[in-house]
Amino acid sequence: MHNNKQNHRTTQQRKVILEELKKVKSHPAADEIYRMVRKRLPRISLGTVYRNLEVLSELKEIQQIELAGSLKRFDGNPENHYHLRCIICGRIDDAPFELENNLEKQMRTFTDYTIISHKLEFIGICPECSSKLP
Amino acid sequence: MHNNKQNHRTTQQRKVILEELKKVKSHPAADEIYRMVRKRLPRISLGTVYRNLEVLSELKEIQQIELAGSLKRFDGNPENHYHLRCIICGRIDDAPFELENNLEKQMRTFTDYTIISHKLEFIGICPECSSKLP
DNA sequence: GTACCTGCAAAGCTTTTGCAACTGG
DNA sequence: CCAGTTGCAAAAGCTTTGCAGGTAC
C-alpha cells in the first residue's frame, strides 16, 4: 500500500498521464495508458505509469475499475448470487438477499447493449474485523 | 479459452477439487484450493487445479468470482458510477443511470457487515459487436 | 485404442520494487 | 536543500501452456 501522508508534486509525467486519461472514455488498462503517454513522453517508464495511476487514485483525480480482474476466487455454489467483501481481512461472504432482476430491466430501457447479466458486490467490514478495531 | 465441445471425464483430481470446494464457504482462491486438495492428493499440481476449476466452471458445477481482481482498468471520471462491459470486444462504457443508494440501505438491514460501498457491473454485448454477429 | 487428463517446468502477463540519479517547491 | 519522483531492470505473483507419459471409458 501507498503512504497517504505524502506531499504530491505536479510532475510532467503525472500531468500528462492525467490529461491523456481524461481525454478518452475507453477505460484503458495501464499498458494502454503507457502507450498513449509515450507519444508525448517517449522516455517514460511503465513503472512510473503504475505509480502515478496509484497516486492519482488516492488524490481522487481518477478511479480504478477492479471488476472482472484476473485474480479469481471460486465458489462451490454455481447459482448466481451477490457477495460481501471485507476490506480488512479480504473474506467474502454470500449476500443474504436475492438477485434484483429489476436492475437488468432498468438497464435495458436505457442502453443499446444486449444485457446478459450483472454483478453486484458490496464492500464493507465484516463483524469479526469490526470487533477488533481500536 | 477452453473448448466447450470436449467430453469431460470424472478423474480423481476433478472429483476431489469439487468436493473440497463444496465443503467450504470461504470462496478460496486457486492456490488455497491447491493446498486443500493436496492433503488428499499430495502429488496434484497447481496447473491441474487451474485447469479443473476452468472445466468445472464450464460445467456449471462451480462459479468464478471475478470482482476486484488485479487487472485493472482506469477511469478519468472519479465519480462513482456503474459500468457496462462487452463480453465480445471487452470495451467498458459508463452506465446511463445513477447509483442506487437503496441497495446499500437494504443490505444494511440484512447483515452485520458495516457497508461502505458497492460495485455493480452489467455484462452484455455492445451495439457494435451485436451488429457484427452472424 | 484414443481422446482426455496429469505432473512438471517453463513461459507469460501484469504489477511491484530496489536503487541511484534527478527535480519541483 | 531534500522529500518526492523517475527510469531501469529485476523480481514477484498469479495463471497459462508445451510436452511426454498416464488414464477413463
Side-chain angles (χ1 to χ4, degrees), chain A residues 3-4 10 12 15 26 29 31-32 46-48 58 71 73 84 97-98 117 125 129-131 133:
Chain A
N3 175 10
N4 283 321
T10 312
Q12 265 310 293
K15 196 162 149 288
S26 62
D31 71 308
E32 298 171 279
L46 226 204
T48 296
E58 280 168 23
L71 172 54
R73 300 285 213 106
L84 279 154
F97 70 62
E98 303 283 296
S117 65
I125 302 175
C129 284
S130 287
S131 70
L133 288 181

Side-chain angles (χ1 to χ4, degrees), chain A residues 1 9-11 29-31 46-47 50-51 54:
Chain A
M1 193 44 90
R9 290 178 188 165
T10 312
T11 61
D31 71 308
L46 226 204
Y50 273 104
R51 279 182 291 225
E54 200 57 48

Side-chain angles (χ1 to χ4, degrees), chain B:
Chain B
M1 193 45 88
H2 211 273
N3 175 9
N4 283 320
K5 305 248 160 73
Q6 282 181 115
N7 295 311
H8 298 290
R9 292 176 184 166
T10 311
T11 62
Q12 266 311 292
Q13 290 88 337
R14 189 113 83 216
K15 197 163 149 286
V16 171
I17 289 170
L18 182 57
E19 283 173 10
E20 291 301 310
L21 184 53
K22 293 273 187 192
K23 262 187 206 166
V24 299
K25 56 176 179 28
S26 62
H27 308 82
D31 71 308
E32 300 171 279
I33 296 170
Y34 175 52
R35 255 176 264 133
M36 290 156 50
V37 168
R38 248 196 318 185
K39 291 179 186 160
R40 292 174 57 187
L41 302 174
R43 295 187 42 72
I44 197 172
S45 74
L46 225 204
T48 296
V49 171
Y50 272 105
R51 279 182 290 225
N52 276 306
L53 290 170
E54 201 56 49
V55 172
L56 289 168
S57 298
E58 280 169 22
L59 296 176
K60 303 272 195 273
E61 297 275 4
I62 67 170
Q63 70 171 306
Q64 306 192 3
I65 308 174
E66 299 196 325
L67 301 176
S70 64
L71 173 55
K72 295 174 188 122
R73 301 284 213 105
F74 297 87
D75 191 335
N77 172 7
E79 297 307 314
N80 227 353
H81 58 280
Y82 299 140
H83 292 108
L84 280 154
R85 183 184 301 258
C86 178
I87 52 167
I88 296 180
C89 66
R91 71 182 277 179
I92 298 177
D93 284 306
D94 291 340
F97 69 61
E98 303 284 295
L99 290 175
E100 293 257 5
N101 290 318
N102 240 4
L103 288 173
E104 291 185 23
K105 208 174 292 174
Q106 275 187 67
M107 185 57 90
R108 284 195 188 92
T109 70
F110 284 120
T111 78
D112 293 330
Y113 264 67
T114 307
I115 304 294
I116 294 173
S117 65
H118 70 279
K119 295 179 179 186
L120 173 58
E121 173 180 276
F122 292 86
I123 296 97
I125 302 175
C126 71
E128 210 170 311
C129 285
S130 287
S131 69
K132 288 179 194 154
L133 287 181

